[in-house]
Each structure stands twice: as structure tokens, then as C-alpha cells.
Amino acid sequence: MTRAGIFVENQLALLGIRYLLDAEADIQVAFAASTPFAVAPGSVDCLVLDRGLLGESAPAVPAARTVLLTRGPETGTERTGAALPFDDAPLLLVAAVRRVAAPGPAPVRQGVATLSPREREVLGHLVEGCTHDQAARRIGISQHTVDTYVKRIRSKLGAHNKAQLVRAALTTP
């Protein structure tokens, strides 16, 4: 049985994530709170943490055992919400909790941290569901340049298709 803790600031998201994880027979939610507090070592196998709560009040747990929730990038006055852009997002969150909480060494995260700022920006647009042409127009570069960035990102992440790229972006803190 995997014991999970949840720190998410948005009350609706907090309730949704708790409901999602509680519905899984092999996951037990130890706590769900909108304000972080110190977590005793060994009290949870995995922590789901809202990136907005990082800082000096962040709970003291090993980062390798944390699923970090992020929001999409802000562009001008348009702001993407915390909702994930496709129907498989809940399944990805549950899978991420199971993978991070699995016994043995912590999962090794590779790739996303090695992306350049522009590559991360392009990947962010793909996560939002943009086509290469839409991403190019939002950033102000050519579609060919976006294609080149996507090829580089795929190479760095070892992804063979757009779904794998999006999964890497959503499951890697």
C-alpha cells in the first residue's frame, strides 16, 4: 500500500486529487492540506506538491519522492490554468505517484532539466496542446524552427512521439 500526502493550495484541485488517489485500491491518502507542514520521515511514500507552495515553508521531504505539480507558462494576459490539457492527465498523475513511491532507488529524472529555456518554452506550448504552427506563432519564430526544437527535445528526452514528450513534461518536476 502506497501512502501519499498532498499539499495543494487550490481547494478544488486539492479535493480532486484526493478523490482521484482515494479511488485507487493501492494508494492511501495520509493527509491533504493547502498549507504545508513538516512531514515526519517515513510517514508517506510520496508527496504530491503544488509548485506554488515551494519556498521557505515547503515541507521537508526528499525531492526524489515528490510529484511536483506545475502550471502552464504565462503568456501576456493569457494564463493557462492548472488543469492538464488532455483526458489522460489523471492516469498520468496516479502513475507518477506509483512510480515515485515504488520501493528501491528513487527514479532518475533525466532530460527536462537539460533543455534550454527556448526548448522548455516550446515544450510548454506542446503540453498546452498547440500544434507546431500555433507554437511558432505564439513565440514569434518559424514553424521550421519549432520543428528543429522539437527534434532536439525528443533527442534529449529519448521520446519517440508527442505523447511521450508531454508525459515527460507533466511527470518530471
Side-chain angles (χ1 to χ4, degrees), residues 40-130:
S43 63
V44 292
D45 302 308
C46 177
L47 181 68
V48 178
L49 176 65
D50 184 351
R51 180 178 174 194
L53 294 175
L54 289 177
E56 58 190 59
S57 63
V61 295
R65 297 293 180 192
T66 302
V67 175
L68 185 65
L69 302 177
T70 62
R71 290 180 177 82
E74 292 184 27
T75 54
T77 59
E78 176 187 333
R79 180 184 168 121
T80 58
L84 299 175
F86 53 97
D87 294 337
D88 290 338
L91 299 174
L92 290 174
L93 177 60
V94 170
V97 167
R98 285 186 178 122
R99 186 173 54 251
V100 167
V108 178
R109 294 183 352 252
Q110 297 180 32
V112 174
T114 66
L115 298 179
S116 71
R118 182 65 96 176
E119 289 168 341
R120 284 192 295 273
E121 182 179 11
V122 168
L123 183 57
H125 288 294
L126 295 179
V127 167
E128 291 175 13
C130 292

Side-chain angles (χ1 to χ4, degrees), residues 7-172:
F7 287 131
V8 175
E9 194 169 23
N10 179 293
Q11 289 294 316
L12 184 58
L14 177 71
L15 291 173
I17 293 168
R18 179 173 194 141
Y19 179 80
L20 175 70
L21 296 180
D22 274 339
E24 298 297 316
D26 62 330
I27 299 175
Q28 176 188 16
V29 176
F31 59 83
S34 59
T35 305
F37 54 81
V39 178
S43 63
V44 292
D45 302 308
C46 177
L47 181 68
V48 178
L49 176 65
D50 184 351
R51 180 178 174 194
L53 294 175
L54 289 177
E56 58 190 59
S57 63
V61 295
R65 297 293 180 192
T66 302
V67 175
L68 185 65
L69 302 177
T70 62
R71 290 180 177 82
E74 292 184 27
T75 54
T77 59
E78 176 187 333
R79 180 184 168 121
T80 58
L84 299 175
F86 53 97
D87 294 337
D88 290 338
L91 299 174
L92 290 174
L93 177 60
V94 170
V97 167
R98 285 186 178 122
R99 186 173 54 251
V100 167
V108 178
R109 294 183 352 252
Q110 297 180 32
V112 174
T114 66
L115 298 179
S116 71
R118 182 65 96 176
E119 289 168 341
R120 284 192 295 273
E121 182 179 11
V122 168
L123 183 57
H125 288 294
L126 295 179
V127 167
E128 291 175 13
C130 292
T131 64
H132 291 201
D133 185 52
Q134 291 168 330
R137 281 187 271 134
R138 285 185 177 186
I139 298 170
I141 58 178
S142 74
Q143 181 177 342
H144 177 72
T145 304
V146 169
D147 293 341
T148 300
Y149 280 124
V150 171
K151 286 177 188 174
R152 289 180 190 166
I153 296 167
R154 283 184 177 165
S155 174
K156 288 180 179 181
L157 299 181
H160 301 290
N161 56 45
K162 194 176 287 191
Q164 290 177 347
L165 288 177
V166 172
R167 180 175 294 124
L170 293 175
T171 60
T172 305

